[in-house]
């Protein structure tokens, strides 16, 4: 009877997590929902939000984000305080860093939040949520 053992490799846990994230993201997706929410002093302004259902095809492959009729963006992953982020750049220009709030073999969701302090008493916050479904 032969017994085998695995002695390990030089890949760190963070690198392994990034490879798993990359493998889950790569492929063909449909952007199904785009949800815009507007907050003043952390209170959702229900009458000022918006929801779109673009049903836009997009592909993630080899560090490139491609969607018909759109510019191709580069993407990279980072992990900060245990949270996963994807950053998009077009021709070297930063196009935003989005928190990956859901990532499975069939669904992906990103959120980007922009906060602006209007005055000493008023904070304005825009939250955009992007939802994707993996194509089979």
């Amino acid at each position: 009877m032969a017994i085998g053992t695995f002695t390990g490799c030089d890949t760190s846990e963070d690198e392994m997590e990034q490879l798993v994230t990359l493998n889950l993201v790569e492929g063909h997706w449909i952007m199904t929902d785009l949800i815009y929410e507007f907050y003043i002093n952390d209170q959702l302004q229900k009458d000022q939000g918006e929801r779109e259902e673009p049903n836009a095809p997009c592909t993630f492959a080899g560090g490139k984000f491609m969607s018909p009729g759109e510019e191709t963006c580069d993407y990279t992953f980072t992990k900060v305080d245990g949270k996963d982020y994807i950053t998009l750049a077009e021709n070297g220009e930063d196009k935003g860093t989005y928190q990956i709030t859901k990532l499975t073999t069939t669904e992906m969701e990103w959120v980007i939040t922009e906060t602006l302090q209007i005055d000493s008493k008023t904070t304005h916050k825009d939250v955009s949520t992007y939802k994707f479904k993996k194509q089979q």
Side-chain angles (χ1 to χ4, degrees):
M1 176 201 284
I3 298 177
T5 60
F6 179 72
T7 58
C9 63
D10 293 334
T11 305
S12 73
E13 187 174 326
D14 285 344
E15 289 171 322
M16 285 301 291
E17 286 179 15
Q18 192 168 12
L19 286 172
V20 168
T21 300
L22 177 64
N23 286 334
L24 286 173
V25 169
E26 291 225 339
H28 302 288
W29 295 83
I30 298 289
M31 184 188 304
T32 58
D33 292 288
L34 210 73
I35 303 163
Y36 302 104
E37 296 174 312
F38 177 72
Y39 295 79
I40 295 179
N41 295 334
D42 292 324
Q43 295 294 317
L44 177 62
Q45 306 300 299
K46 294 181 184 196
D47 60 334
Q48 296 183 20
E50 189 177 328
R51 181 180 187 141
E52 298 177 25
E53 295 178 1
N55 290 318
C58 46
T59 300
F60 296 86
K64 301 286 185 194
F65 170 58
M66 299 159 276
S67 186
E70 301 290 329
E71 292 290 324
T72 298
C73 292
D74 296 314
Y75 65 88
T76 56
F77 297 108
T78 54
K79 185 180 260 330
V80 177
D81 296 329
K83 297 176 183 173
D84 290 314
Y85 294 88
I86 185 168
T87 300
L88 302 179
E90 184 181 311
N91 299 320
E93 183 181 332
D94 182 15
K95 292 295 183 181
T97 298
Y98 305 78
Q99 182 182 353
I100 302 171
T101 56
K102 182 176 191 174
L103 182 58
T104 69
T105 57
T106 59
E107 295 180 273
M108 177 168 55
E109 181 178 285
W110 304 351
V111 175
I112 188 167
T113 302
E114 297 179 49
T115 303
L116 178 63
Q117 189 71 40
I118 303 297
D119 56 39
S120 63
K121 296 179 181 179
T122 309
T123 302
H124 166 172
K125 181 168 63 173
D126 290 321
V127 178
S128 300
T129 302
Y130 300 77
K131 295 184 178 187
F132 302 83
K133 294 262 186 218
K134 191 101 179 219
Q135 287 186 305
Q136 301 301 329

